[in-house]
Amino acid sequence: MSMPGEVSGVKTEPMLSVRELSVSFIQYARGLKQQLLEVINGLSIELYPGEVVAVVGSSGSGKSLLAHAVLGILPGNAIVSGDMQFGGEILTSKRQSTLRGTEIAFVPQSVNYLDPLMKVGAQVKAAVKQGSKREVQQKIFKRYHLDKNVENLYPFQLSGGMARRILVAGALVGNARLVIADEPTPGLHPAVVKETLHHLRELSDEGRAVMLITHDIKAALEYADRIAVFYAGTTLETANVADFSGDGSDLRHPYSKALWKALPQNDFVSLPGFQPASGELPQGCLFAPRCHMFKDLCKEKRPKERSLRGGKVRCHYAT
Amino acid sequence: MRLTGFLIFVSGKVLKAVILLAALSVLSFWLVSKSPIDPVQSYIGADAMVVGPEQRENIAAYWGLDRPPLERLYSWGAALLQGDFGTSMIFRRPVLTVIGERFMASLMLMGLAWIISGLLGFWLGITAAMKQGSWLDRLIKTYCFTLASTPTFWLGLLLLIVFAVWLGWFPIGLAVPAGGLAEEVTLAERLRHLILPALTLSILGVANVALHTRQKLIDVLNSEYVLLARARGATEREVLFRHGLRNIALPAVTLQFASLSELFGGSVLAEQVFSYPGLGQATVQAGLRGDVPLLLGIVIFSAMFVFSGNLIADIIYRLVDPRIRQGEASG
């Protein structure tokens, strides 16, 4: 397995680079007292052209918000800090609004993301920014083996597989260089899951960077190049897929190792305890309360992300 | 098949209408027969001193008031089935003619109020939702909540005082100028008499549509499909015109049709305040003076009117919403 960013030996620039991203929401606590709820903190991730990076974590870890932050579609009461770059340039909210739907494409979770009262062909056409809307839409439908009459169907008339293809198709209307897929396969038939992930893999093989947000580690291992392990709003580890093997000793963070061991084909033992809720985060390392390597330093100081054995880890004691 | 599904739907509705009308007729007849108002007394009015007890009995016999209630209900019902609504006691003309005439006057009033309140309410609702949380949104909400708790007659009196009495812009009442020939009344004069009562009804009718539209549009703006539209680069304007209007128009239109009952109820009060000779005013007169045939005729007619409004709302949904339309076609 080659190192990230090395395509046939030449080091390339990351397509997307997110450094120390934090997202907080202003909430009204008691009465008019405002309260900041930090849902993403100190998150870093990099995506290179031609690779699929899976963002894996349990629900509530802030995975979807990462996608919304990159696209710039967080709700108005969100406060974002940190550094995001796309194609080597800083992602300002103005740039985000021109890149959304053109160079950055979004593949959503389910058919609920389609307007129930609009024909699907028209919805795909509406997303086309350049060229003949009709031609672009028909070309994409052909690519995904969608019959001509499908464009006249309403979302509720689509089968699960068709809906998937429509949602992926919508991401291709522009010249997307980055595709963000947010949980694209929940509750689907295994064959449909396979087809969808295969389509995403295809997109990256054509030179795009694909961020696959999922809680399905098994699927991620099969289709991704690298895996970012998410926990309580941050990335605890970024590892190559190959590191997830054997007894998990190639992994760096105790949480990743625990995740790996929890898989049915491995030890099938789950880690006791649960992810801290945003607003009740520990002061030191976010994982400290559940960690078996826990020492005093972990309680006092939140570890910074550091490179380790070709990956990244956020742990004082990982080796 | 789609057509048979539709036919079953319509015939079910018609059956319901028939049952509703039958029950309504019996109930209203019973209520009127228990009314403390003596129709003979209210017919005679100021001439009570001149009319002797014998003449009273004659009048009662002429109207059939001397017979037991059940017999009266039966003969009224039998005539009704043949399309004969009877003769109004106070207008001394067939009930259907009176209703027809009065309804045309009310139709202008209600129609105008219906359209203005619908359009204005829809627009206010959209504005509030698009600017949710702003001072404009709060202003519109306050306006709607205030109006929702304002009595029609009070607002009517207020408009009368300000625009008719103080400013003198509009006539104080009636549908046409008093003291002229019917043939000489111009359309402009009719409109001038129509504006204040129509305004009263419109201002009050706005609240419902505006608040519903606002809430519905806020739901749409928070929906997952709008999130996707934004993620694909749609501007707020495109979101409103592509997804917003499409998803809120149908509920707004059907709500407006379903609100015909409130409009009718409001028009009774507004017509009374403005002495506007419409169906609402006729209802009040028929009630106060014990004109049973006219009152029952109006009850049946208004029930049909409101029922049709709801039926139209249902039918529009079935014709326009693809989930119902296509679902029936394939199912």
Side-chain angles (χ1 to χ4, degrees):
Chain A
M1 175 71 54
S2 66
M3 290 287 292
E6 261 175 54
V7 178
S8 56
V10 186
K11 184 98 180 158
T12 53
E13 284 295 309
M15 182 78 78
L16 175 76
S17 142
V18 176
R19 265 190 219 103
E20 294 296 313
L21 175 75
S22 290
V23 177
S24 311
F25 288 101
I26 305 173
Q27 282 199 329
Y28 286 95
R30 254 171 261 126
L32 288 173
K33 204 172 147 246
Q34 285 188 352
Q35 173 188 316
L36 267 187
L37 194 65
E38 193 168 49
V39 282
I40 290 187
N41 49 75
L43 184 155
S44 300
I45 193 168
E46 279 177 345
L47 269 86
Y48 291 86
E51 70 168 351
V52 175
V53 174
V55 173
V56 176
S58 53
S59 48
S61 54
K63 293 171 298 180
S64 292
L65 290 171
L66 165 65
H68 297 175
V70 173
L71 289 159
I73 52 170
L74 288 166
N77 62 340
I79 297 173
V80 184
S81 68
D83 177 48
M84 286 190 280
Q85 294 195 357
F86 178 75
E89 277 179 70
I90 288 182
L91 260 183
T92 58
S93 62
K94 200 175 162 207
R95 237 185 122 218
Q96 280 173 326
S97 70
T98 55
L99 293 177
R100 288 199 281 269
T102 53
E103 293 193 35
I104 306 181
F106 181 67
V107 179
Q109 236 178 61
S110 71
V111 73
N112 291 346
Y113 283 75
L114 294 175
D115 188 330
L117 298 183
M118 200 170 170
K119 291 178 180 173
V120 293
Q123 300 201 48
V124 171
K125 267 188 245 168
V128 180
K129 291 276 160 57
Q130 286 172 328
S132 153
K133 294 188 178 228
R134 195 169 170 71
E135 269 169 38
V136 173
Q137 176 252 323
Q138 286 179 342
K139 215 175 88 197
I140 297 172
F141 270 45
K142 200 171 264 174
R143 167 169 177 170
Y144 285 108
H145 310 290
L146 290 159
D147 280 349
K148 196 146 177 4
N149 60 1
V150 173
E151 61 186 55
N152 287 323
L153 295 181
Y154 288 94
F156 77 97
Q157 293 168 310
L158 300 175
S159 71
M162 267 198 275
R164 279 300 100 200
R165 279 181 267 160
I166 298 269
L167 293 175
V168 176
L172 281 179
V173 294
N175 307 311
R177 292 196 289 156
L178 170 66
V179 176
I180 302 177
D182 186 8
E183 298 270 11
T185 55
L188 288 176
H189 188 268
V192 181
V193 172
K194 224 174 146 181
E195 184 194 309
T196 308
L197 294 174
H198 173 73
H199 284 147
L200 291 173
R201 183 71 247 181
E202 252 177 22
L203 294 182
S204 78
D205 291 345
E206 290 165 8
R208 298 179 185 88
V210 174
M211 184 193 287
L212 170 64
I213 297 173
T214 180
H215 58 251
D216 185 352
I217 301 185
K218 226 178 115 234
L221 289 174
E222 209 170 320
Y223 290 92
D225 299 300
R226 289 189 300 137
I227 291 183
V229 178
F230 240 62
Y231 186 81
T234 196
T235 37
L236 290 183
E237 171 169 1
T238 310
N240 291 317
V241 163
D243 298 340
F244 286 85
S245 62
D247 61 353
S249 58
D250 287 343
L251 291 169
R252 295 149 195 88
H253 199 281
Y255 180 62
S256 326
K257 290 182 188 182
L259 271 186
W260 174 242
K261 280 184 186 143
L263 289 183
Q265 66 268 35
N266 300 330
D267 293 353
F268 210 8
V269 278
S270 72
L271 186 70
F274 42 83
Q275 178 174 269
S278 40
E280 293 165 20
L281 297 182
Q283 182 150 43
C285 174
L286 298 175
F287 185 63
R290 298 169 74 184
C291 187
H292 68 277
M293 291 159 59
F294 172 77
K295 296 196 175 65
D296 282 347
L297 179 63
C298 306
K299 202 158 92 184
E300 288 149 22
K301 201 170 151 234
R302 210 171 274 183
K304 290 249 174 288
E305 190 177 67
R306 60 190 167 100
S307 297
L308 180 68
R309 291 188 276 115
K312 298 246 170 85
V313 70
R314 200 181 281 273
C315 176
H316 294 303
Y317 300 104
T319 49
Chain B
M1 270 302 290
R2 185 179 153 194
L3 194 63
T4 43
F6 189 72
L7 282 179
I8 291 170
F9 163 75
V10 170
S11 38
K13 286 283 176 184
V14 169
L15 187 71
K16 269 185 200 161
V18 170
I19 296 171
L20 173 78
L21 288 180
L24 197 67
S25 308
V26 174
L27 187 70
S28 318
F29 198 93
W30 178 71
L31 280 175
V32 170
S33 68
K34 293 285 168 206
S35 159
I37 293 171
D38 176 9
V40 180
Q41 177 62 47
S42 53
Y43 173 71
I44 299 164
D47 299 331
M49 304 306 287
V50 209
V51 181
E54 233 170 79
Q55 277 171 300
R56 279 173 186 252
E57 266 169 39
N58 282 340
I59 295 172
Y62 176 71
W63 281 340
L65 292 170
D66 53 344
R67 282 176 286 158
L70 262 182
E71 200 186 315
R72 280 189 278 157
L73 174 64
Y74 176 77
S75 61
W76 174 72
L80 194 66
L81 286 179
Q82 291 165 11
D84 178 11
F85 277 69
T87 308
S88 162
M89 293 175 183
I90 49 178
F91 292 99
R92 303 232 191 149
R93 283 191 298 162
V95 165
L96 272 185
T97 318
V98 176
I99 291 180
E101 222 168 68
R102 290 304 186 107
F103 182 65
M104 283 320 288
S106 286
L107 196 64
M108 285 229 288
L109 174 64
M110 288 195 285
L112 199 63
W114 191 74
I115 290 169
I116 294 177
S117 67
L119 292 179
L120 191 64
F122 193 59
W123 180 72
L124 282 179
I126 290 175
T127 311
M130 292 304 282
K131 304 268 179 217
Q132 195 198 345
S134 69
W135 62 268
L136 191 63
D137 176 32
R138 283 201 293 273
L139 189 74
I140 293 174
K141 263 196 310 188
T142 311
Y143 170 77
C144 290
F145 286 136
T146 312
L147 286 180
S149 45
T150 305
T152 314
F153 64 87
W154 184 80
L155 184 73
L157 285 174
L158 208 66
L159 290 181
L160 258 186
I161 292 171
V162 175
F163 292 103
V165 180
W166 290 353
L167 296 171
W169 291 354
F170 298 102
I172 291 183
L174 306 179
V176 290
L181 288 174
E183 298 85 60
E184 288 170 0
V185 178
T186 62
L187 185 69
E189 278 170 335
R190 280 184 194 280
L191 279 178
R192 235 164 70 83
H193 283 80
L194 197 63
I195 287 177
L196 276 190
L199 205 61
T200 308
L201 287 179
S202 315
I203 291 177
L204 292 174
V206 158
N208 216 350
V209 176
L211 288 175
H212 270 87
T213 301
R214 176 183 176 275
Q215 193 50 50
K216 183 75 194 164
L217 185 55
I218 287 175
D219 291 348
V220 169
L221 291 178
N222 290 329
S223 71
E224 290 170 329
Y225 55 86
V226 165
L227 185 80
L228 178 64
R230 288 189 178 133
R232 288 187 176 160
T235 61
E236 287 307 291
R237 214 186 138 74
E238 283 171 326
V239 164
L240 173 65
F241 282 97
R242 196 179 293 152
H243 303 292
L245 294 184
R246 185 188 302 269
N247 281 280
I248 61 174
L250 197 53
V253 170
T254 48
L255 181 75
Q256 195 63 358
F257 270 104
S259 72
L260 283 183
S261 60
E262 284 153 53
L263 186 68
F264 193 87
S267 79
V268 172
L269 295 168
E271 286 176 11
Q272 195 62 23
V273 171
F274 290 95
S275 314
Y276 190 89
L279 200 55
Q281 209 201 24
T283 316
V284 177
Q285 285 177 5
L288 289 180
R289 295 173 62 180
D291 188 344
V292 182
L294 181 59
L295 192 60
L296 291 179
I298 291 176
V299 165
I300 289 179
F301 182 81
S302 56
M304 288 291 284
F305 180 69
V306 172
F307 190 87
S308 312
N310 288 327
L311 184 66
I312 291 171
D314 278 352
I315 290 176
I316 289 178
Y317 241 106
R318 299 178 81 85
L319 291 184
V320 178
D321 193 320
R323 283 163 297 187
I324 302 179
R325 178 165 41 107
Q326 306 274 359
E328 241 167 37
S330 54

